[in-house]
């Protein structure tokens, strides 16, 4: 979220965080009335508008709301919240590709009204629960990122934590039990109206397009578990429940007994040990069972670095070799799956269906994709991966140019590899970041 938080909202968040930090046992009893404060709702709207996204089950888009006047729309929403007539609607379910695999995962798309109210709740609840989240959690937190998690793991490996449990949970977001989650929320929030609202969001029905038309189910309410992926409130709630595992690991003494450190990013986590990885895995499974979460036995594995490597957040961590002198070291590099994934995306962008695009527009689209990928995969030994992606991008762009020209009756164009960078402006990843260990 790149928006600047209004001063009044920032002061409110600062006060909530300071009180939560100072008084670990404090329960906040007056939050709902701040949910529909004008400055809070306006900032929540701006956050949702910046994030964009498709409409929900009501079909209402951001453009339609703006054409009718955002101010009036927010005033009506304020009235609903103040009079407690607001009710969340069903979540529209869509399926999106899972990065690095051929599988798809479900994504819930709430209507824009529900997104704005949930974002307003996040603005109030996040500073409270941020005071409680342990340092081992890196996902969906201000001032923390996936890069920080990778750097922490890399540091632990170099300090001798070489036995690794690479954990994987089966359907974490769909498995979080509502009763236990609400207890975690109620530990800090005693405002009945706010608790009722969170419970209503957890129980929202799901609407999905099927062969026979739209189909609506109430799986979350009937099963009493699951948080809607794609909803603004979901990351905060998922962090809050994963906190139980991190605290349980430490309070039961396994961090000290097994010399085992946890690093978690949302539902992805690894346990790094000084030996006893098998015992760490056994105790992790026991804790997850108590939390009513299922460990994916096929994907969870133990390994010893540097003889073996493991993947985490798109990076492979293990033995690397210096391109200068061939020296071996423990480092990070983009995983093969993620290199393959970006190459597949480039191939999709340069299919014959895109011949209608002007050359400069396609190059700009490719550069945007390459730049985003390179900005994330910028840690460690990246040179080899960068060269592979650069080679593939040049190859596909040359094929696209030749196909475009032949489709118009022109002769085949022969482009020297470097001319694509020099003349057309194709981004070259190898020039953007030096190789780092």
């Amino acid at each position: 979220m790149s928006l600047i938080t209004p001063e009044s909202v920032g002061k409110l968040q600062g006060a909530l965080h300071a009180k939560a930090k100072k008084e670990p046992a404090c329960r906040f009893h007056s939050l709902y009335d701040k949910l529909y404060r004008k400055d809070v709702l306006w900032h929540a709207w701006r956050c949702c508008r910046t994030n964009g996204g498709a409409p929900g089950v009501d079909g209402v888009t951001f453009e339609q709301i703006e054409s009718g006047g955002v101010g009036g729309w927010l005033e009506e929403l304020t009235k609903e919240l103040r009079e407690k007539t607001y009710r969340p609607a069903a979540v529209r379910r869509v399926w999106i590709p899972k990065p690095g695999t051929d599988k798809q995962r479900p994504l819930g798309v709430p209507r824009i009204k529900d997104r704005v109210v949930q974002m307003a709740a996040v603005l109030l609840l996040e500073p409270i629960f941020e005071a409680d989240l342990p340092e081992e959690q890196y996902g969906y937190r201000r001032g923390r990122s996936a890069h920080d998690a990778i750097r922490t793991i890399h540091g632990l490996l170099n300090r001798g934590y070489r036995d690794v449990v690479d954990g994987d949970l089966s359907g974490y977001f769909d498995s979080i039990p509502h009763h236990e989650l609400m207890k975690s929320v109620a530990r800090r929030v005693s405002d009945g109206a706010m608790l009722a609202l969170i419970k209503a969001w957890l129980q929202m029905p799901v609407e999905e397009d099927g062969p026979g038309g739209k189909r609506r189910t109430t799986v979350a309410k009937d099963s009493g578990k699951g948080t809607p992926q794609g909803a603004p409130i979901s990351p905060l709630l998922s962090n809050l429940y994963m906190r139980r595992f991190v605290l349980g690991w430490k309070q039961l003494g396994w961090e000290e007994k097994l010399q085992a450190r946890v690093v978690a990013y949302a539902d992805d986590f690894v346990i790094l040990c000084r030996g006893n990885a098998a015992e760490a895995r056994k105790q992790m499974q026991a804790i997850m069972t108590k939390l009513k979460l299922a460990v994916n036995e096929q994907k969870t594995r133990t390994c010893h670095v540097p003889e073996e490597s493991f993947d985490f957040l798109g990076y492979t961590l293990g033995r690397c070799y210096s391109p200068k002198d061939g020296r071996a070291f423990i480092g990070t590099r983009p995983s093969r799956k993620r290199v393959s994934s970006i190459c597949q995306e480039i191939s999709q962008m340069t299919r014959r269906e895109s011949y209608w695009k002007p050359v400069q527009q396609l190059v700009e689209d490719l550069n945007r994709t390459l730049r985003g990928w390179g900005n994330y995969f910028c840690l460690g030994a990246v040179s080899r991966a960068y060269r592979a992606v650069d080679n593939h991008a040049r190859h596909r762009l040359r094929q696209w140019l030749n196909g475009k020209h032949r489709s118009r009756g022109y002769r085949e164009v022969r482009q020297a590899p470097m001319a694509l960078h020099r003349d057309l402006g194709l981004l070259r990843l190898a020039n953007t970041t030096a190789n780092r260990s």
Side-chain angles (χ1 to χ4, degrees):
M1 196 184 304
S2 59
L3 290 173
I4 298 175
T5 304
E7 184 178 356
S8 58
V9 177
K11 286 183 177 180
L12 173 60
Q13 291 179 317
L16 292 171
H17 179 73
K19 187 172 181 61
K21 196 76 174 174
K22 184 179 179 181
E23 303 177 33
C26 174
R27 299 180 71 206
F28 292 78
H29 59 84
S30 181
L31 291 174
Y32 185 84
D33 60 322
K34 298 171 181 63
L35 193 67
Y36 51 83
R37 267 180 37 169
K38 186 176 181 179
D39 54 348
V40 172
L41 274 185
W42 262 105
H43 188 50
W45 158 264
R46 291 171 64 232
C47 292
C48 293
R49 185 67 182 96
T50 301
N51 291 335
V57 293
D58 59 358
V60 176
T61 65
F62 286 105
E63 291 75 18
Q64 290 173 336
I65 295 173
E66 289 171 336
S67 65
V70 179
W73 185 83
L74 287 176
E75 287 179 7
E76 183 64 28
L77 180 55
T78 300
K79 182 180 178 183
E80 288 184 33
L81 290 169
R82 184 188 300 115
E83 297 177 357
K84 297 185 179 179
T85 58
Y86 162 80
R87 297 293 182 273
V91 174
R92 185 168 68 89
R93 173 174 286 176
V94 296
W95 294 84
I96 62 173
K98 197 171 182 179
T101 68
D102 297 330
K103 299 180 180 179
Q104 292 185 319
R105 65 180 180 89
L107 182 69
V109 183
R111 59 179 180 165
I112 295 175
K113 178 184 288 187
D114 295 329
R115 274 182 256 175
V116 171
V117 181
Q118 287 189 28
M119 182 58 74
V122 169
L123 293 175
L124 300 176
L125 296 173
E126 188 179 59
I128 295 173
F129 291 116
E130 178 62 30
D132 298 334
L133 292 180
E135 62 177 13
E136 288 84 356
Q137 290 183 262
Y138 290 86
Y140 311 128
R141 298 178 65 181
R142 293 178 184 268
R144 287 170 169 253
S145 67
H147 286 171
D148 295 325
I150 295 297
R151 290 188 183 101
T152 299
I153 294 172
H154 184 223
L156 288 169
L157 289 172
N158 281 315
R159 292 204 298 273
Y161 292 82
R162 303 287 178 85
D163 291 276
V164 179
V165 180
D166 182 9
D168 188 272
L169 298 176
S170 300
Y172 173 67
F173 288 88
D174 296 328
S175 304
I176 298 176
H178 293 173
H179 178 70
E180 286 78 0
L181 176 59
M182 289 304 299
K183 285 176 65 176
S184 295
V185 176
R187 190 183 60 82
R188 277 297 203 173
V189 178
S190 61
D191 188 323
M194 181 65 83
L195 291 173
L197 203 53
I198 295 172
K199 186 175 181 179
W201 287 330
L202 291 174
Q203 296 179 345
M204 288 189 294
V206 174
E207 187 174 285
E208 187 175 2
D209 291 329
K214 296 185 182 299
R215 184 169 60 95
R216 182 171 291 196
T217 58
T218 56
V219 177
K221 183 177 181 180
D222 297 340
S223 64
K225 61 183 181 181
T227 62
Q229 292 189 59
I233 195 74
S234 185
L236 177 63
L237 296 179
S238 67
N239 265 351
L240 192 57
Y241 199 69
M242 182 56 76
R243 172 182 178 271
R244 285 191 166 204
F245 166 69
V246 177
L247 291 186
W249 184 260
K250 296 163 79 172
Q251 290 173 0
L252 291 172
W254 298 120
E255 182 177 84
E256 292 185 7
K257 293 175 185 176
L258 302 177
Q259 288 290 289
R261 297 280 301 276
V262 174
V263 177
Y265 190 95
D267 60 326
D268 293 321
F269 68 95
V270 292
I271 305 173
L272 299 103
C273 325
R274 295 181 185 269
N276 294 320
E279 181 65 19
R281 176 173 178 168
K282 177 183 175 182
Q283 299 304 330
M284 176 272 292
Q285 289 174 316
I287 296 175
M288 290 301 183
T289 299
K290 291 181 180 179
L291 295 176
K292 300 182 180 179
L293 299 174
V295 177
N296 189 326
E297 297 292 346
Q298 284 70 39
K299 292 185 178 181
T300 298
R301 57 185 287 260
T302 59
C303 66
H304 181 78
V305 178
E307 288 77 12
E308 300 171 276
S309 61
F310 65 97
D311 290 353
F312 189 68
L313 301 180
Y315 281 88
T316 296
L317 296 100
R319 180 182 282 129
C320 297
Y321 296 93
S322 170
K324 295 181 179 180
D325 55 15
R327 179 181 57 85
F329 62 94
I330 294 176
T332 65
R333 61 186 184 275
S335 70
R336 289 184 178 181
K337 283 186 178 180
R338 292 306 180 91
V339 173
S340 175
S341 179
I342 184 65
C343 289
Q344 290 177 16
E345 187 174 353
I346 291 171
S347 297
Q348 285 291 109
M349 296 173 68
T350 51
R351 292 167 57 189
R352 65 174 65 237
E353 288 82 358
S354 62
Y355 285 167
W356 61 270
K357 288 186 178 183
V359 174
Q360 198 56 42
Q361 182 181 343
L362 179 78
V363 172
E364 288 176 2
D365 292 343
L366 287 173
N367 286 349
R368 190 179 305 111
T369 299
L370 290 168
R371 189 174 292 109
W373 190 87
N375 285 342
Y376 181 78
F377 291 103
C378 62
L379 301 179
V382 298
S383 297
R384 188 173 181 179
Y386 279 12
R387 285 197 301 270
V389 175
D390 283 340
N391 289 337
H392 186 74
R394 284 193 294 265
H395 171 69
R396 290 298 303 181
L397 181 55
R398 276 200 306 271
Q399 285 191 322
W400 184 87
L401 288 169
N402 286 327
K404 181 181 178 71
H405 282 283
R406 282 199 295 268
S407 69
R408 295 185 176 186
Y410 300 139
R411 290 188 305 172
E412 182 176 347
V413 177
R414 295 189 180 277
Q415 288 277 3
M418 291 304 106
L420 299 174
H421 301 293
R422 183 184 64 246
D423 301 336
L424 299 184
L426 178 66
L427 179 68
R428 190 181 180 196
L429 287 175
N431 289 345
T432 60
T433 302
N435 186 59
R436 291 190 286 250
S437 62

